[in-house]
Amino acid sequence: MERWATFDCYGTLVDWRAGIGGELARLFGDDRAAALLERYYAIEPDVQADGSLRYRDVLAETLRRVAGEAGLAIPAGEEGALGRSLPSWPVFPEAAASLAEARRCGWRLAILSNSDADLVEASIAAIGVPFDLYVVASEIGSYKPGLRHWQVFSERSGTTPAGHVHVAQSLFHDIGPASELGLASVWINRRDEGPGPVPTRELPDLEALPGTLAELVPA
């Protein structure tokens, strides 16, 4: 049986908060960045809801709404700042080694992302570990927590739930849907968040992931 580990990318492998927070600080000042980031986090799912926008456009529209709500003007020419910056968002320091070890142990790797193909490809290059496939929102017309990412992944990979573990930081976008589908899941709780949808396992980062995957689906 093939064993597949699927991953959310931004927040799990790549530091979404540092990437967006850094741009908010650059555009509006360090003193405003933290509060604006929390509003961004709350508003973005509403922008994604109809599934019709590319992720670049989601980033731009959410930035517009966040700035408007705060009474701030986006500097001229910076409307697309978040999308332009995404390829440089930092990779979490333990991600590459953990993914490489999982591959060495026979796991196939995939990304299920609320993003665009070229942005995910840039992040995969930054991570430095190959993935066997990816499914992105812009090509399927759906954003998580909708179930379409997992349905397309299943069609493309041919895997079954018995050989599939989903790994992610977001309870809302990922762990809840994975549980609904009956999949084993690993919640990467980087921010020591409170309870929500119940994962199969919980880790503070990716360092212990290869061993956890082996426990969930032995070779």
Side-chain angles (χ1 to χ4, degrees), residues 6 112 144-154 160-162 164 166 173-185 198 200:
T6 55
L112 311 184
K144 298 178 293 181
L147 303 181
R148 184 65 179 148
H149 280 79
W150 288 271
Q151 293 164 349
V152 172
F153 166 74
S154 180
T160 64
H164 179 190
H166 188 60
H173 291 97
D174 289 271
I175 300 303
S179 298
E180 182 178 344
L181 291 167
L183 298 174
S185 62
V198 179
T200 313

Side-chain angles (χ1 to χ4, degrees), residues 109-142:
L109 308 180
I111 285 175
L112 311 184
S113 177
N114 281 351
S115 188
D116 301 335
D118 62 317
L119 297 178
V120 164
E121 288 169 357
S123 294
I124 290 173
I127 293 165
V129 176
F131 284 78
D132 296 284
L133 64 85
Y134 59 75
V135 179
V136 295
S138 62
E139 70 175 352
I140 64 172
S142 176

Side-chain angles (χ1 to χ4, degrees), residues 11-124:
T12 305
L13 306 176
V14 172
D15 194 339
W16 181 96
R17 295 182 68 88
I20 292 183
E23 284 298 288
L24 293 173
R26 183 181 70 82
L27 294 172
F28 304 117
D30 291 338
D31 58 331
R32 293 191 175 101
L36 293 173
L37 180 61
E38 294 311 310
R39 291 304 301 148
Y40 186 99
Y41 191 79
I43 291 169
E44 188 184 71
D46 291 337
V47 179
Q48 294 173 336
D50 70 4
S52 65
L53 296 178
R54 298 181 310 159
Y55 191 56
R56 276 184 178 78
D57 298 326
V58 168
L59 290 164
E61 174 61 15
T62 308
L63 177 63
R64 185 190 69 79
R65 294 190 192 186
V66 169
E69 180 182 273
L72 299 170
I74 299 172
E78 296 284 11
E79 295 82 1
L82 298 183
R84 288 196 303 270
S85 73
L86 188 149
S88 67
W89 293 359
V91 177
F92 285 110
E94 81 286 359
S98 179
L99 293 167
E101 177 64 11
R103 287 189 66 89
R104 190 190 69 79
C105 294
W107 286 85
R108 301 191 72 181
L109 308 180
I111 285 175
L112 311 184
S113 177
N114 281 351
S115 188
D116 301 335
D118 62 317
L119 297 178
V120 164
E121 288 169 357
S123 294
I124 290 173

